[in-house]
Structures are given as C-alpha cells and as structure tokens.
Amino acid sequence: QVQLVESGGGLVQPGGSLTLSCAAENLRLSYWSIGWFRQAPGKEREGVAYINRSDGGTGATMYSDSVKGRFTISRDVAKNTVYLQMNSLEVDDTAVYTCAADMAAFRRSSFSEDFQAAMTRAFVAGHWGQGTQVTVSS
C-alpha cells in the first residue's frame, strides 16, 4: 500500500524557518513527481511547490508566486524523502501542508500560465498524505 507521511510541522515565529519532510512507503520517489499543497482554515487548497520526477523526468522545480524565493523543494533519493525548506515564514503561511505524488512529469511551461491549475491537473489522480500543521505566530 502506497503511503506518504509528512512531518516537521510546528509553531514558529514570523521570520523563522521550518523544514517539512514527505517520506514515502512502497513507492520510489525518484520515479514520481511531488507537490506540496497547503490549506488554511476557510480557504481553498493552494499548491505551493512542485518537483518533477528525476528518473524519467527533469527534476525541475516550480513554485507559486506566494512562496517563490522563500521556499525550496528538494529530493533525497537515498532517503526516499522530499523536503520543503521554508524560510522567512509569514503569518499567512499558517496552514496544513500536504504532499502529493504522481508519476506524470509536467514541464515548466505547464506551470507558467496558471500555476494552481497545473498543480491541480498534476495530482488529480495522485497519492496524498495526511498533512502536517504549520503555525506561524508571535
């Protein structure tokens, strides 16, 4: 059974940093494209970061405008884990963060016009984790 498990969430002050992990069971993450999503109370789910599959893909990364320059998505093939490094955190980053996996590899051009639409298409049939809470507050 495929399972994605997120960890690393917690409470952090504005301006602080957190690193989220997405560990996979029964799937080899290098063959899968991974997305990080977040959902704040009363808001729609938002895609924030994408990493293309490295085996059979480019391993390219893409980000929403809201996190570009502050968040970094990366993959550790040996640990079969994808990370989301989050720096300069803001109160508006407070949300439940969830990772998703799909074998499709989307090109950078797919994200250039509408990042959110591309993220939705990329993981509509994918595997999803349960999420980890990130709270940014002073």
Side-chain angles (χ1 to χ4, degrees), residues 28-88:
R28 189 170 170 182
L29 280 182
S30 61
Y31 286 99
W32 296 71
S33 298
I34 305 298
W36 280 99
F37 294 78
R38 68 185 181 186
Q39 188 165 19
K43 294 187 177 181
E44 291 188 359
R45 187 174 63 197
E46 174 190 16
V48 297
Y50 174 90
I51 185 165
N52 201 322
R53 56 187 289 178
S54 52
D55 285 319
T58 64
T61 58
M62 273 73 79
Y63 302 91
S64 68
D65 288 342
S66 61
V67 307
K68 197 174 297 181
R70 300 189 297 123
F71 290 12
T72 302
I73 187 171
S74 61
R75 175 190 280 115
D76 187 326
V77 173
K79 295 184 178 180
N80 206 34
T81 300
V82 169
Y83 302 98
L84 185 67
Q85 173 69 43
M86 306 186 296
N87 298 327
S88 302

